[in-house]
């Protein structure tokens, strides 16, 4: 039995050093996972239960460009470490969580902050501010078998050479095993899932022509131009 329309292209990420690619199934994004970012967004950084929102697989862009979106004048950068799963399941234990990780990468959670703020005030979902085209620029994945499971290391974003965001993976309120454990209580995780692990303080607006260079120590670097 054939399809009535052509199936959509499978969203993928490149794997560093190979011609292979990683097929993307879902993208889970944890909110306010660094205390200093929670404070700058006007929230209490105490360890409350985590919350997640989603981006769409086809929001991922590996071109090196970020296309400035419509209906906004306040697009913010959020540098994050990406966690890529090779397997999944339900009710994954903390001890077993890292065995499901294929590798790690560097990405940006680009946000139409003005539209997100409007939705918050109206008590509506955030998708219009988070899950839009090209809103997830990412670099290649690096297998965990090459770099292990980073739990410390500098996280940084520079815009036009000026440092905007700095933090350390060891400052994450919810660590990678805890995120996997928590998500698996509410969803059936699977191979191809990505987790965007949160951003440190310093989020701010970008304009066309800006060059964003983001690094996660021990994982990699991306360079993205706003066009």
């Amino acid at each position: 039995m054939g399809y009535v329309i052509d199936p959509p292209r499978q969203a993928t990420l490149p794997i560093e050093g190979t011609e292979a690619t990683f097929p993307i199934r879902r993208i889970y994004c944890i909110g306010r996972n660094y205390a200093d970012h929670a404070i700058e967004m006007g929230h209490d950084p105490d360890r409350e239960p985590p919350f997640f929102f989603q981006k769409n697989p086809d929001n991922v862009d590996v071109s090196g460009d970020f296309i400035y979106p419509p209906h906004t004048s306040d697009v913010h950068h959020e540098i994050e470490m990406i966690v890529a799963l090779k397997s999944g399941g339900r009710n994954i234990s903390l001890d077993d969580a890292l065995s499901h990780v294929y590798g790690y990468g560097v990405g940006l959670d680009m946000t139409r902050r003005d539209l997100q703020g409007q939705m918050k005030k109206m008590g509506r979902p955030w998708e219009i501010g988070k899950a839009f085209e090209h809103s997830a620029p990412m670099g290649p994945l690096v297998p965990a078998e090459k770099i292990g499971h980073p739990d410390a290391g500098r996280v940084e974003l520079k815009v036009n050479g000026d440092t905007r965001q700095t933090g350390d993976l060891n400052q994450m309120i919810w660590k990678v095993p805890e995120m996997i454990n928590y998500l698996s209580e509410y969803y059936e995780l699977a191979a191809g899932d990505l987790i965007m692990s949160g951003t440190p303080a310093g989020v701010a607006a970008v304009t066309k022509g800006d060059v964003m260079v983001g690094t996660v120590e021990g994982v990699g670097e991306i360079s993205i131009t706003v066009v």
Side-chain angles (χ1 to χ4, degrees):
M1 184 180 296
Y3 296 106
V4 297
I5 60 172
D6 291 336
R9 178 183 62 85
Q10 170 67 58
T12 63
L13 278 175
I15 308 299
E16 186 177 273
T18 77
E19 297 297 320
T21 58
F22 182 90
I24 303 169
R25 175 178 176 264
R26 295 179 182 171
I27 304 173
Y28 300 95
C29 310
I30 188 169
R32 301 196 296 265
N33 200 29
Y34 287 73
D36 52 1
H37 176 56
I39 292 170
E40 76 174 346
M41 298 302 292
H43 298 278
D44 190 327
D46 286 345
R47 188 178 159 101
E48 299 175 344
F51 74 93
F52 292 84
F53 56 93
Q54 292 192 28
K55 287 181 181 280
N56 302 311
D58 62 0
N59 294 158
V60 171
D61 191 328
V62 297
S63 69
D65 289 337
F66 169 68
I67 299 174
Y68 200 94
H71 301 296
T72 181
S73 59
D74 192 26
V75 178
H76 283 205
H77 54 70
E78 298 188 11
I79 183 69
E80 315 209 0
M81 183 176 74
I82 309 301
V83 183
L85 301 187
K86 63 182 178 182
S87 57
R90 293 184 181 272
N91 300 312
I92 297 170
S93 70
L94 287 172
D95 290 341
D96 190 44
L98 292 180
S99 71
H100 296 278
V101 175
Y102 170 79
Y104 299 87
V106 184
L108 287 163
D109 169 16
M110 301 303 294
T111 303
R112 292 193 278 210
R113 191 73 72 199
D114 45 1
L115 300 187
Q116 182 193 30
Q118 291 173 20
M119 296 303 104
K120 286 182 178 180
K121 290 178 181 178
M122 299 171 71
R124 294 180 177 178
W126 296 0
E127 276 82 359
I128 198 168
K130 288 288 191 178
F132 55 91
E133 285 73 14
H134 315 289
S135 63
M138 294 185 185
L141 295 175
V142 184
E145 63 184 20
K146 290 187 176 181
I147 62 172
H149 297 283
D151 57 7
R154 184 175 176 84
V155 180
E156 179 182 74
L157 183 80
K158 294 183 177 182
V159 178
N160 303 327
D162 297 327
T163 301
R164 291 270 190 94
Q165 291 185 261
T166 57
D168 196 288
L169 294 175
N170 64 19
Q171 297 170 342
M172 290 196 298
I173 299 170
W174 295 91
K175 312 304 183 185
V176 173
E178 293 174 315
M179 285 185 271
I180 293 171
N181 166 257
Y182 185 88
L183 277 168
S184 71
E185 293 180 359
Y186 293 89
Y187 301 93
E188 184 169 356
L189 299 180
D193 288 346
L194 300 179
I195 301 172
M196 301 189 75
S197 61
T199 195
V203 300
V206 295
T207 59
K208 292 179 182 179
D210 285 346
V211 177
M212 303 176 287
V213 177
T215 58
V216 176
E217 184 179 352
V219 177
E221 176 181 291
I222 57 172
S223 179
I224 307 295
T225 302
V226 183
V227 299

